[in-house]
Amino acid sequence: MHQYTVAVVDDRSEIRVQLREYLETYEKEHRCILKTELFDTGEELLRVYDQEEYPFEILILDVELPGVSGVEIARQIRKKDSDVSIIFLTGYDRYALDAFRVGAMGYFMKPIQYVSLKAKISEAILKIDYINELHQKQQKYLTVINHYQQVQIEISQIIYIEKHRNLCIIHCQGVEYACYISLYRLYKQLPMREFCYCHQGYVVNFTKVRSVGKTDLLMESLDRVPLSRRYYKELHLRKIQEVVGYQELLMETKRRTGNK
């Protein structure tokens, strides 16, 4: 199940709550995870960007925020992140030109309608997926800093990645790498067809999963990786589909070759 990071910035608590509820509805309808954080000022959002390089993929910004306006917040963030999808929330059409000047995907009007929000989120996700897929096709190696040295790890050799406090430990066959980077940022650099979350603190290379248990995954390396209830159904079904697909391929090969 794909995961996307969203920041909602509005000074009115009822608007923030409504947007979170709409985003939760979107998750259920589209089988994705929208990891959402709520802010009541733009300054709070900027402080997060000062601490982390690319914390969010989608920003929903109220234009008329107290203190620094939503447009100015977007302008400052755009200097740091050219790919982030920005959607403005406003009560007035007159801000449309300002929105496009900072490379926003557009805006929707108050009072908020779920249909309008859904359309903009879907558009943003299409853009994110395209950028990620383009990046993944170009990349066969993951570059990280391990013990103060830059190393390149062949992505196909990664078995799983484990979050340990403020470290991520990348497990390969016979070797491990430790780096100070968020698990989510590592995950977004990996091919989504092969890598997936199985637990809040673990990402696995699903091609190296031997079996799916109730509470853990057995990897080819014979390591057992925790499996949370949240991901069990999805990964269990995925393994069944993988096995069925292999059996159908085997039967078709036997049929073509005349073997029983």
Side-chain angles (χ1 to χ4, degrees), residues 16 19 40 77 79 164 209:
R16 297 195 300 272
L19 284 168
D40 56 10
I77 289 174
K79 292 176 183 177
H164 184 69
V209 173

Side-chain angles (χ1 to χ4, degrees), residues 59 61 86-89 96 99-100 103-108 120 123:
L59 304 180
L61 293 170
I86 300 172
I87 304 167
F88 282 116
L89 175 63
F100 291 110
M105 300 197 72
Y107 64 96
F108 55 96
K120 288 300 177 186
E123 184 182 349

